[in-house]
Amino acid sequence: MTQNEKAAAAKKRSHAIMIIVLILLFILFIIPFIMVIINVFKVKTDIVSNPLSLVGEHGFTLQNFPNAMAKMNFFVVFKNSLIITILSTILTILVSAMASFVIVRNGKWKFCSGIFALMVASMVIPFQVLMVPLVSVYGGIFSVLNHRITLILMHTGFSVSMATFMFHGAIHTNIPLELEEAALIDGCTRWQTFWKVVFPLLKPTVATVAIIDAMAFWNDYLLPSLVLTSKELYTIPIATQAFYGTYSSDIGLIMAALLLAMLPILILYLFLQKYIVAGVTAGAVKG
């Protein structure tokens, strides 16, 4: 066997090992979702006695879904989650895209460089450090908690730094200054140049930020639980606590609630998945 053949064989072995490892990791990650799908159509006793069986002893049931929706007041909490997630995501995209455009095109200003450095530095601060000051200041002093708009603005504030970082890389790397200069020569203002030339070219990054932030906002439990205290304003993650009792929990209803909570994000991902990789690599450094 020649040296080239040995190298090719070694490359094939390493590729096969990598595929096997990826398949095993995929199975480990998908098992919880499969368990939810299997057990959501069983009664509680069948889930507890044999969670791995495809069909329980009491047969197939759809009763978990209407029971879960009634107990968690599904349509109300779904509306709350939808409003908060959509508005927070839109605000995050708009604010971070405009901020990154100003920072990139005015990079020589120390003020812009300082603001961007502060945004990058803020990403390493864990939210748990801010929990107590957040509740004591905004709740105890300003009394602005228990409002949707408060939660929307907090979501936007906590997520805008990462989004600005992603948009900054995309604008700096993929959008040449000559396009903007040509638009200015044609009579566009800076505002028109951004919305008609720059922003349409940021579609992959917009899709990536949208799916990342929408998933985070939709699934967030900690911040909404601190801000929202009225049951009429609960989001889906908070409402699922109704299924957990002190001594026992109805696992079938929990599975149904989890599946109902997952579906909107899965649908959103299916629509935006083709932009995800392009958006993540949009800010990569090119040689």
Side-chain angles (χ1 to χ4, degrees):
M1 183 179 291
T2 63
Q3 191 69 24
N4 290 336
E5 291 175 343
K6 290 181 180 179
K11 186 176 181 180
K12 287 182 179 179
R13 284 194 300 269
S14 63
H15 182 71
I17 293 172
M18 182 182 68
I19 295 296
I20 293 171
V21 171
L22 291 176
I23 291 174
L24 292 175
L25 290 174
F26 172 76
I27 292 173
L28 289 175
F29 277 105
I30 204 67
I31 282 176
F33 182 73
I34 294 175
M35 293 297 294
V36 171
I37 297 295
I38 291 175
N39 290 295
V40 75
F41 302 108
K42 300 179 188 176
V43 298
K44 179 180 177 180
T45 54
D46 291 337
I47 298 174
V48 175
S49 61
N50 192 359
L52 296 178
S53 63
L54 294 177
V55 181
E57 294 181 1
H58 295 82
F60 185 87
T61 180
L62 293 173
Q63 198 59 36
N64 287 328
F65 289 100
N67 290 344
M69 294 172 70
K71 190 169 183 178
M72 70 187 298
N73 201 4
F74 178 75
F75 292 106
V76 173
V77 298
F78 180 83
K79 180 191 71 174
N80 293 334
S81 291
L82 201 63
I83 292 172
I84 291 169
T85 300
I86 290 176
L87 292 182
S88 300
T89 303
I90 291 174
L91 272 178
T92 300
I93 291 173
L94 295 180
V95 172
S96 57
M98 290 187 288
S100 59
F101 176 69
V102 173
I103 291 171
V104 171
R105 296 311 182 215
N106 299 279
K108 294 181 180 179
W109 291 5
K110 291 185 178 180
F111 177 77
C112 289
S113 301
I115 290 295
F116 185 65
L118 288 175
M119 284 187 170
V120 174
S122 68
M123 291 191 293
V124 304
I125 301 175
F127 172 72
Q128 289 76 7
V129 175
L130 306 174
M131 285 194 308
V132 176
L134 193 72
V135 175
S136 60
V137 172
Y138 289 97
I141 299 176
F142 298 115
S143 300
V144 294
L145 299 182
N146 202 32
H147 295 283
R148 289 196 196 98
I149 187 63
T150 302
L151 181 59
I152 290 170
L153 293 176
M154 286 184 177
H155 274 319
T156 303
F158 284 121
S159 59
V160 75
S161 295
M162 174 63 78
T164 300
F165 178 76
M166 296 180 67
F167 279 115
H168 181 280
I171 294 173
H172 182 74
T173 306
N174 295 333
I175 300 180
L177 187 59
E178 289 76 12
L179 285 176
E180 299 171 32
E181 293 174 347
L184 291 173
I185 292 173
D186 289 338
C188 289
T189 62
R190 293 299 296 271
W191 181 259
Q192 291 172 327
T193 300
F194 174 76
W195 289 112
K196 294 182 178 181
V197 177
V198 177
F199 193 75
L201 297 176
L202 295 174
K203 187 185 293 184
T205 308
V206 169
T208 305
V209 172
I211 188 65
I212 292 174
D213 286 339
M215 189 184 307
F217 301 150
W218 186 269
N219 295 324
D220 189 21
Y221 173 81
L222 186 54
L223 182 57
S225 66
L226 295 174
V227 176
L228 306 176
T229 57
S230 175
K231 288 186 177 181
E232 290 76 17
L233 299 176
Y234 277 2
T235 57
I236 288 179
I238 304 177
T240 55
Q241 291 300 305
F243 304 116
Y244 295 92
T246 304
Y247 301 104
S248 64
S249 303
D250 195 329
I251 302 178
L253 298 186
I254 294 173
M255 297 290 183
L258 292 175
L259 188 60
L260 290 170
M262 285 189 291
L263 285 178
I265 292 299
L266 289 176
I267 294 171
L268 178 65
Y269 181 80
L270 290 175
F271 279 108
L272 298 181
Q273 61 177 335
K274 63 180 180 180
Y275 298 110
I276 300 300
V277 175
V280 171
T281 59
V285 178
K286 298 181 180 179

